[in-house]
Amino acid sequence: MTKPTLQVIVASTRPRRVGRMVADYIVERFADHGGFEIEVVDLAEVALPLLDEPNHPRLGRYEHEHTKAWSATISRGDAYLIVMPEYNHSFNAALKNALDYLNAEWQGKTVAVASYGGVSGGTRAAAAITEVLVTLGMIVSNVGIAIPMVQSHIADGRFAGYPQVEQAIESTHAALLELTRGRAGA
Ligand SMILES: Cc1cc2nc3c(=O)[nH]c(=O)nc-3n(C[C@H](O)[C@H](O)[C@H](O)COP(=O)(O)O)c2cc1C
């Protein structure tokens, strides 16, 4: 049986963001746990403009090459892990924009959220994006990762893990794999 493809979506696009370091760390741990083909989808590299398609995404009638490319990328994914910051108690704009671009590509796919921030660990952002993911018809894992005080776990340009986050990553990996296999009827 071929492994399902998990796309790890790096939501933050800021210069000097920590999001890519957090994502790289989670990718390493997910790879250790196995079960998925993993692909990193970094929104800073995808660099979508603010939604500029004239038609509703539900119609799938994309006019711009950047949308067709984004659609092709997300269509490859069977499951997603969104690694996201909390900005002003909610999700960051680049993530919402990237989600809004597409419709059928997200539907019925499994997704989990890894949030980070200050004291809250980005949990308000995770709750806010969950409503959007459900609206897009995604199967949202009720197990996820929340990393409080993320800046204090950055050293030498890397995110440094600790036992609680390791545990959350393991649980999230297991939940996402089970949901994804269940969806495939495997
Ligand atoms: C515009 C902005 C708003 C923020 N709002 C929050 C917030 O509401 N809650 C929080 O815990 N941290 C907040 N922070 C702090 C971020 O969690 C922290 O800067 C984190 O590094 C952002 O992720 P990034 O570096 O990957 O972009 C905010 C940061 C920015 C830049």
Side-chain angles (χ1 to χ4, degrees):
M1 198 183 76
T2 57
K3 292 182 188 174
T5 296
L6 171 73
Q7 293 183 327
V8 176
I9 298 178
V10 186
S12 175
T13 58
R14 281 190 323 123
R16 294 209 292 273
R17 65 200 168 139
V18 302
R20 182 64 194 244
M21 299 173 216
V22 174
D24 287 345
Y25 179 83
I26 296 174
V27 164
E28 282 176 23
R29 299 286 83 75
F30 262 58
D32 291 343
H33 295 308
F36 286 112
E37 289 294 338
I38 301 176
E39 180 185 352
V40 175
V41 176
D42 188 333
L43 295 188
E45 291 165 6
V46 176
L48 288 165
L50 277 178
L51 181 58
D52 59 356
E53 285 289 337
N55 300 307
H56 193 296
R58 207 186 306 125
L59 302 173
R61 287 208 304 265
Y62 305 131
E63 294 196 355
H64 298 295
E65 288 309 315
H66 55 254
T67 315
K68 291 174 189 169
W70 180 230
S71 170
T73 296
I74 293 305
S75 295
R76 286 198 297 273
D78 300 302
Y80 309 91
L81 177 73
I82 299 177
V83 180
M84 62 180 297
E86 178 169 294
Y87 290 171
N88 297 311
H89 294 194
S90 192
F91 42 74
N92 64 312
L95 174 60
K96 179 65 159 54
N97 187 54
L99 289 165
D100 288 344
Y101 255 96
L102 307 177
N103 190 276
E105 296 85 343
W106 302 117
Q107 266 179 42
K109 307 271 191 75
T110 54
V111 60
V113 175
S115 65
Y116 56 87
V119 176
S120 72
T123 49
R124 293 167 295 211
I129 207 67
T130 295
E131 194 171 327
V132 177
L133 301 174
V134 169
T135 302
L136 284 167
M138 302 185 83
I139 302 161
V140 186
S141 168
N142 62 352
V143 182
I145 303 159
I147 304 171
M149 311 311 287
V150 67
Q151 297 281 355
S152 65
H153 300 290
I154 302 294
D156 301 326
R158 291 176 66 85
F159 175 77
Y162 50 97
Q164 290 91 338
V165 83
E166 294 279 351
Q167 182 58 55
I169 291 170
E170 188 177 340
S171 306
T172 302
H173 172 274
L176 201 47
L177 194 56
E178 192 177 325
L179 277 179
T180 306
R181 282 184 176 151
R183 174 181 161 260

